[in-house]
Structure formats: C-alpha cells, structure tokens
Amino acid sequence: GRWGTFSADTRLYPDPVSEVTGIHNCNQGLLAFTMRGVHLINPSGTDQFSSVPLSSEIGCVAPSSIQSIPGGRVIWLGDDGFYTYDGASVAYVSAALRRDFRRVTKTRMKQACSVYDPRTREYRCWVSVNGSERNNMCFIYDGAGWRTRTDIKASAVCVTKDHRNLVLAAGEVRTDSGHAGVYVVDHAHNKQDTELTEIIDSRTSVIETSWMSSQASLSRKTTRVLYLWLRESEDADVTIEVFRDWRNDVIETV
C-alpha cells in the first residue's frame, strides 16, 4: 500500500513473449531486461505502472552484469557486447572488444558477474572464455576505454557497503591453485601470511603493444613508450623482460 509499490495481485508483463532476464533501478525508473529488449517501467496514476520499450533488439544475457556507473548511466552485458543507457538512448560501448568477444563462451554468458569499484571508478565484468566452466576473463571499463585481466576466476563479486569500499570476489586466484574462497581484490595483504606473500611476490604481468598498423603491415613503426608507476612498499626487485614480434625469445632483461 505504500507509494511507488505494486498493489495486491498486480502483474506487469514488459514483454509478454519473453522472460525477464534482469531488473535494475535508474534515475528514470526501473529497467526491465529480456534477451532481446529493454523496457522502462514508471508509475502511471495512483497505483498503476506502465512499461515503455527502449529497444526491441538489444537485451541483457546476464542479470549479475547490470551496474550503475558515473554519469547516471546503467551498463550491462548483451549478446554481442556491453551496452549503456543514459536516460535518453541505449548505446553500444564495447566496439574495442569485438575480437575478444569471439572467445566468449555463449552458453555460459548467463553466469557472468560484475561490480562497480567506487575507488577506481571502474566497471568490472567476469565472463567465461574459451569454453571455461568458470568466469576466467574480466573486462574492465573506466568510462572511456577497456582492458582485461585474467588473474581471478570469479563466481560472484560485490563491494562492501562501508568506508573501505572493498571489492570481494568469490572464486579462485590463478596463482593460488587448489584453493577457492573469498578474496579481497587489489588490496594490501597480511604480511604475516607467508604463503600468500610468496604467491604475490611471484606474480607476472604482461603488457602487449602493437608495432605495426593495418595500413602498412610490412613496415615497423616506432615502439610505444611504456611508463611503470611503482609505489615503494618493501625491499624487493622487479624484473622486466622484453619480447618482440610475438616470439618467446627474451631480447632484453632489466
């Protein structure tokens, strides 16, 4: 009986021929998703609601992929990539990931999970690629561009609702094989945990750059400049190995 709630025995079918695959609140009302559509639900009258279709071609395949991001936008995972709604229109925002999406396991897209990290202001969504049973690839969106990470196989993720804003991931860490549980993502660890310290100290990061352009693929271009920003937190070493032309031979070590 409260304002803005459904009356007893009230039912609303945004798309009578498709099942609802996700719902999420936004500044304009309530978004209801199907596999092939997006609908906006708003109050209509005293205790009635109406559904307005925003798209009849774009839908949501994973309910846990829906998140609110800065600018009043809502982002979610569709059948062919990520989409956003800004209150006016639905937009495709993952054109840069077209090649990566060829590897996404279509039959496991429903199990994708996501989180918005308020500390880094990034949207992160874990999906299954190359037929993996787990979500082994994370797509990260900072509002302008995309990048990926493969160090965590996440089954579920969330953010603590307190001043810490910690991102928690339930699943497995690639370098901690044989263990599964809840991990704090991108946060300082307990120095007294010697086993975890050894795992973190031995981690490897890979950065790929392009030396060639599609217009002149036979001509090499000037290499990209790579800046590493490091924060001194312990007495340790960082080893940098340089590879070229996608070969496995190390040409330089620093």
Side-chain angles (χ1 to χ4, degrees), residues 4-244:
T5 62
F6 287 98
S7 300
D9 300 324
T10 299
R11 291 175 174 83
L12 181 65
Y13 300 90
D15 186 348
V17 298
S18 302
E19 67 176 6
V20 175
T21 58
I23 57 175
H24 191 81
N25 66 301
C26 64
N27 295 336
Q28 293 72 33
L30 179 69
L31 292 176
F33 300 87
T34 64
M35 288 292 292
R36 288 290 180 267
V38 183
H39 303 264
L40 180 63
I41 300 175
N42 275 316
S44 177
T46 305
D47 56 356
Q48 300 296 320
F49 290 82
S50 62
S51 175
V52 179
L54 300 177
S55 174
S56 59
E57 299 178 352
I58 301 168
C60 176
V61 297
S64 295
S65 70
I66 312 170
Q67 296 292 337
S68 296
I69 59 178
R73 293 186 295 170
V74 176
I75 188 171
W76 67 90
L77 176 63
D79 183 67
D80 59 345
F82 292 94
Y83 292 85
T84 61
Y85 174 67
D86 60 0
S89 60
V90 177
Y92 180 66
V93 294
S94 59
L97 300 177
R98 290 187 185 274
R99 178 176 297 180
D100 296 283
F101 258 84
R102 298 174 185 174
R103 303 164 52 199
V104 174
T105 310
K106 289 290 186 179
T107 56
R108 291 190 174 274
M109 294 181 72
K110 183 183 294 187
Q111 71 185 29
C113 58
S114 69
V115 69
Y116 173 72
D117 189 343
R119 295 189 301 117
T120 61
R121 299 177 65 85
E122 293 176 337
Y123 166 78
R124 304 173 182 177
C125 183
W126 277 264
V127 300
S128 165
V129 297
N130 300 331
S132 172
E133 295 182 357
R134 300 291 186 90
N135 296 323
N136 56 343
M137 172 75 77
C138 177
F139 294 112
I140 304 175
Y141 182 58
D142 61 3
W146 292 87
R147 70 179 193 275
T148 60
R149 64 186 297 175
T150 58
D151 57 329
I152 299 175
K153 296 181 180 180
S155 299
V157 286
C158 68
V159 177
T160 59
K161 300 300 182 180
D162 54 23
H163 65 282
R164 299 172 300 169
N165 288 328
L166 298 178
V167 175
L168 305 181
E172 300 177 1
V173 175
R174 184 178 59 185
T175 54
D176 190 17
S177 60
H179 298 85
V182 179
Y183 296 83
V184 180
V185 180
D186 298 338
H187 197 270
H189 64 288
N190 183 1
K191 294 294 184 179
Q192 297 180 351
D193 190 339
T194 56
E195 182 179 355
L196 181 58
T197 300
E198 182 179 353
I199 294 173
I200 294 178
D201 289 343
S202 62
R203 62 185 172 182
T204 302
S205 299
V206 178
I207 301 175
E208 296 182 357
T209 62
S210 175
W211 283 37
M212 299 179 297
S213 60
S214 58
Q215 294 81 6
S217 59
L218 299 180
S219 302
R220 287 181 177 174
K221 304 181 72 67
T222 304
T223 60
R224 304 282 181 88
V225 178
L226 176 64
Y227 295 95
L228 297 179
W229 294 75
L230 305 176
R231 184 180 65 179
E232 184 179 8
S233 59
E234 59 181 304
D235 183 10
D237 296 326
V238 176
T239 303
I240 301 176
E241 297 178 341
V242 181
F243 304 83
R244 194 174 71 182

Side-chain angles (χ1 to χ4, degrees), residues 243-254:
F243 304 83
R244 194 174 71 182
D245 300 338
W246 294 279
R247 295 192 176 101
N248 293 326
D249 300 329
V250 179
I251 64 173
E252 185 177 357
T253 301
V254 180

